[in-house]
């Protein structure tokens, strides 16, 4: 009997709503956009797909936040996407205002939602939503790591010539060029990836993953949506089913990994309360160094956001 709101009915938001509807895990999905007709139209279209694909999820949409009342989960995808030549951080001032405004509107109609942020620059937009919401930090987190590992897993599957289903991977750090890949924690049906892929090839795949978002921006003139939308939906599904799936998510570290008050990617268990646990890995010296650099890069943008005095 759950309700999920997706704010932003653009490429990522609509894809996310579509994947969620197909999963048939919630009673209702609400799409909200400043372009109310776009949200209403896409919700209607996905609802009309239900008899074809066979799901019961009801969809509605518009620009009125009253529609979102008593949502269990809110997924924020509102914002402008990246264009060629832009970094994720270039989006900060535009998207920060949007994310803060959206969060304030949501809180008017739902007291204690779980908020999943997808808008970029991801780590800082998650911080912005958390700050604007005043919610417990276990209830506000961001989607980046599932997407980054998905890209990495897809590239590895291509290289090995196996199904991407058999590739398990974990990474940490910020969503961007400073992400921290952990090939030590990558397996192919239990086999360490290093036994199947040569170091040079693995390094090249890691490098391609770091710039995986940019590769798509260059191809399409805008940022990706199928994998990002599905990844955000996957987080919501683990929460709705209280599955405690372990995913890399952008969370507020509170001393774990000796990092405090910074939102970065780490392995977490996702269940009905949101972040049920942040898993602590024993990182090696070089991995810790990469993570610290990544956290420092995120902190710089968090400070820039604080300087904007938006929330
Ligand atoms: N409130 C609600 N919706 C908004 C607002 C707002 N204040 N501002 C913009 N939007 C809506 C736009 O009207 C648009 O429909 O957000 C939607 C964004 O959709 P797209 O332009 O298609 O962008 P998309 O590719 O979905 O990316 C959205 O997700 O992955 C990130 O970097 C990406 O930050 C970007 C976000």
């Amino acid at each position: 009997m759950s309700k999920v709101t997706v704010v932003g009915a653009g490429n990522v938001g609509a894809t996310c709503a579509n994947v969620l509807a197909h999963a048939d895990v919630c009673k209702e999905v609400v799409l909200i956009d400043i372009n109310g007709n776009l949200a209403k139209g896409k919700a209607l279209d996905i609802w009309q797909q239900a008899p074809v694909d066979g799901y019961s999820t009801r969809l509605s949409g518009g620009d009125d936040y009253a529609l979102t009342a008593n949502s269990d989960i809110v997924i924020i995808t509102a914002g402008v996407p990246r264009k060629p030549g832009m970094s994720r951080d270039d989006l900060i001032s535009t998207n920060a205002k949007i994310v803060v405004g959206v969060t304030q509107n949501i809180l008017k109609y739902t007291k204690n939602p779980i908020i999943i942020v997808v808008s970029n620059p991801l780590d800082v937009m998650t911080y912005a939503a958390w700050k604007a919401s005043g919610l417990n930090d276990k209830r506000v987190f961001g989607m980046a790591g599932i997407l980054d590992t998905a890209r990495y897993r897809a590239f590895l599957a291509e290289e090995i010539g196996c199904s991407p289903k058999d590739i398990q991977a974990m990474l940490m750090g910020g969503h961007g060029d400073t992400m921290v890949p952990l090939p030590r924690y990558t397996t192919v049906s239990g086999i360490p990836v290093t036994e199947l892929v040569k170091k040079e090839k693995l390094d090249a795949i890691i490098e391609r993953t770091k710039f995986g978002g940019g590769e798509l921006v260059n191809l399409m003139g805008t940022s990706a949506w199928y994998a990002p939308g599905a990844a955000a939906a996957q987080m919501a599904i683990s929460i709705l089913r209280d599955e405690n799936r372990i995913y890399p998510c952008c969370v507020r570290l509170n001393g774990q990994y000796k990092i405090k008050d910074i939102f970065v990617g780490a392995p977490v268990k996702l269940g009905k309360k949101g972040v049920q646990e942040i898993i602590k890995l024993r990182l090696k010296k070089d991995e810790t160094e990469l993570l610290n650099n990544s956290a420092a890069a995120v902190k710089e943008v968090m400070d820039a956001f604080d300087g904007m005095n938006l929330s």
Side-chain angles (χ1 to χ4, degrees):
M1 296 299 106
S2 344
K3 174 169 174 176
V4 178
T5 289
V6 181
V7 187
N11 287 332
V12 176
T15 304
C16 177
N18 195 27
V19 173
L20 267 178
H22 278 80
D24 234 349
V25 280
C26 46
K27 189 171 180 203
E28 200 183 343
V29 172
V30 177
L31 262 177
I32 293 286
D33 201 286
I34 35 162
N35 183 344
N37 280 341
L38 179 80
K40 204 171 179 173
K42 288 197 179 178
L44 185 60
D45 191 11
I46 299 171
W47 172 236
Q48 290 171 354
Q49 194 183 356
V52 182
D53 284 354
Y55 50 84
S56 311
T57 320
R58 291 299 306 247
L59 291 109
S60 57
D63 57 5
D64 182 358
Y65 279 81
L67 287 170
T68 71
N70 303 317
S71 295
D72 298 283
I73 301 177
V74 176
I75 302 174
I76 303 180
T77 75
V80 293
R82 256 201 300 171
K83 300 286 173 213
M86 288 170 88
S87 76
R88 290 186 182 90
D89 290 352
D90 291 335
L91 304 173
I92 180 172
S93 57
T94 314
N95 283 357
K97 284 183 202 125
I98 294 173
V99 167
V100 168
V102 165
T103 307
Q104 289 165 343
N105 282 328
I106 286 294
L107 269 285
K108 285 181 198 157
Y109 293 92
T110 303
K111 275 206 191 88
N112 195 26
I114 285 176
I115 299 180
I116 301 172
V117 180
V118 183
S119 311
N120 273 308
L122 190 272
D123 307 278
V124 180
M125 291 307 104
T126 309
Y127 171 56
W130 171 71
K131 221 178 151 190
S133 71
L135 292 171
N136 184 297
D137 58 10
K138 301 289 171 269
R139 299 184 77 81
V140 185
F141 39 91
M143 189 295 294
I146 299 181
L147 174 62
D148 293 330
T149 47
R151 287 179 174 149
Y152 173 60
R153 290 163 67 198
F155 297 150
L156 280 173
E158 229 173 315
E159 172 63 22
I160 297 165
C162 70
S163 165
K165 290 194 277 191
D166 288 334
I167 299 177
Q168 296 287 327
M170 184 50 66
L171 57 71
M172 295 187 66
H175 184 42
D177 317 344
T178 65
M179 71 177 71
V180 183
L182 298 170
R184 240 166 18 100
Y185 293 107
T186 306
T187 60
V188 184
S189 280
I191 306 163
V193 72
T194 43
E195 291 191 21
L196 299 177
V197 182
K198 288 204 176 81
K199 184 175 181 317
E200 307 80 68
K201 197 70 214 176
L202 193 56
D203 287 346
I205 286 175
I206 288 169
E207 227 24 51
R208 186 175 175 197
T209 305
K210 283 186 186 169
F211 300 97
E215 180 180 351
L216 288 160
V217 172
N218 288 335
L219 286 169
M220 304 192 294
T222 190
S223 51
W225 59 89
Y226 291 115
Q234 191 171 55
M235 288 169 69
I237 292 166
S238 181
I239 296 164
L240 293 165
R241 291 195 182 131
D242 193 19
E243 282 186 306
N244 278 344
R245 297 285 308 266
I246 297 174
Y247 292 130
C249 299
C250 170
V251 282
R252 181 167 179 253
L253 293 183
N254 276 318
Q256 298 91 345
Y257 300 95
K258 299 203 177 120
I259 294 172
K260 217 169 166 4
D261 299 337
I262 300 181
F263 279 81
V264 279
V268 303
K269 273 188 200 158
L270 281 187
K272 67 176 175 197
K273 291 184 183 153
V275 173
Q276 310 268 34
E277 185 187 342
I278 297 175
I279 293 169
K280 282 183 270 172
L281 306 175
R282 250 177 260 144
L283 296 184
K284 297 201 163 155
K285 203 171 155 224
D286 56 330
E287 293 163 344
T288 305
E289 212 167 284
L290 286 175
L291 181 62
N292 287 337
N293 290 344
S294 187
V298 172
K299 179 76 170 81
E300 245 178 63
V301 195
M302 282 170 64
D303 290 344
F305 168 78
D306 283 336
M308 294 166 70
N309 290 318
L310 290 178
S311 58

